[in-house]
Amino acid sequence: DIGTQAGGLYATIGILAAVTRARATGEGAFIDVAQADAAVAWSAGQLDAVMSNAVSATGKTGPSMRESVRYQYYDTSDDRIILFQASERHFFERFCRAVGREDLLEGDLGAEFGEHASGDLELRRELAGIFATRSQQEWVDFLLEVDVPGAPVHRVSELPEDPNFIARADIVEQDHPIAGPLKLFRSPIKVDAPDAPMGPAPSTGEHSDEILSSVLGYDAARIAALREAGTVE
């Protein structure tokens, strides 16, 4: 769910901005962030076009990944995925010559920049056949060698094998009292301070006594009465 993740990010940005303003002016701020609004914001490029009436007769706002051909996902021979990004004419020409398919350069290649060849099903079939001849890693190496934009696309199950993930990811191992041994992904925000301890989420009522006594100042008798009444666990 995009809203669940984006909502927290936008809320954090808002809080940081409010803190910055409060330090400068002494004034607080009311912040209202909804997950639905955050999810919409991540589609702002298309939404702006709709609201500005910059849409075609078909109601579409321009090339989409579904229709694109020269900027598209393609399956590789090892059942993985590569993202081909040769929208610019010189990149597409370079790719076609490098794979020995100059015949794909015949005819109108479209605009110099931002040409997705949207809807060209014949070209899409040809490119699909080309990318199916090599593995994902072979295509990554090839695209780097010939200087054509592209990137590996990983399913979640494939990410732990990705060299960049291995080099960058911060993984913590812990023994969960219920789930057992776990490997968890820390925050992608990296700082020059030691990582805070990371433990499992508390079970229901695990810290009730501690909170009621240290935060609210309740004595043992009052806590026992609350528990007996079923008010707390």
Side-chain angles (χ1 to χ4, degrees), residues 114-152:
E115 174 56 57
H116 298 274
S118 297
D120 190 337
L121 298 182
E122 183 178 352
L123 177 59
R124 188 166 184 169
R125 283 191 293 269
E126 293 294 339
L127 290 175
I130 292 171
F131 282 105
T133 63
R134 307 189 192 193
S135 69
Q136 182 191 69
Q137 188 58 53
E138 288 174 331
W139 279 118
V140 170
D141 295 339
F142 177 82
L143 294 175
L144 286 171
E145 179 184 348
V146 300
D147 191 23
V148 172

Side-chain angles (χ1 to χ4, degrees), residues 7-52:
L9 292 175
Y10 280 108
T12 300
I13 293 171
I15 291 169
L16 292 175
V19 170
T20 300
R21 189 184 77 165
R23 288 177 174 176
T25 67
E27 298 179 2
F30 173 78
I31 301 173
D32 179 359
V33 178
Q35 292 183 4
D37 297 342
V40 169
W42 280 27
S43 299
Q46 292 180 311
L47 183 60
D48 290 345
V50 171
M51 294 188 297
S52 301

Side-chain angles (χ1 to χ4, degrees), residues 6 9 21 38 56 59 81 99 107 134 155 183 186 203 212 221:
L9 292 175
R21 189 184 77 165
S56 66
I81 303 169
V99 295
R134 307 189 192 193
R155 301 177 180 90
K183 291 184 178 180
R186 283 189 184 271
S203 59
L212 292 172

Side-chain angles (χ1 to χ4, degrees), residues 80-142:
R80 295 205 171 193
I81 303 169
I82 195 79
L83 174 59
F84 186 49
Q85 298 171 287
S87 296
E88 287 75 14
R89 185 187 301 169
H90 61 282
F91 284 132
F92 185 63
E93 292 174 343
R94 188 178 301 165
F95 173 82
C96 291
R97 292 191 177 99
V99 295
R101 290 298 305 272
E102 289 87 348
D103 58 297
L104 298 180
L105 300 176
E106 298 174 0
D108 183 11
L109 296 181
E112 175 65 34
F113 301 104
E115 174 56 57
H116 298 274
S118 297
D120 190 337
L121 298 182
E122 183 178 352
L123 177 59
R124 188 166 184 169
R125 283 191 293 269
E126 293 294 339
L127 290 175
I130 292 171
F131 282 105
T133 63
R134 307 189 192 193
S135 69
Q136 182 191 69
Q137 188 58 53
E138 288 174 331
W139 279 118
V140 170
D141 295 339
F142 177 82

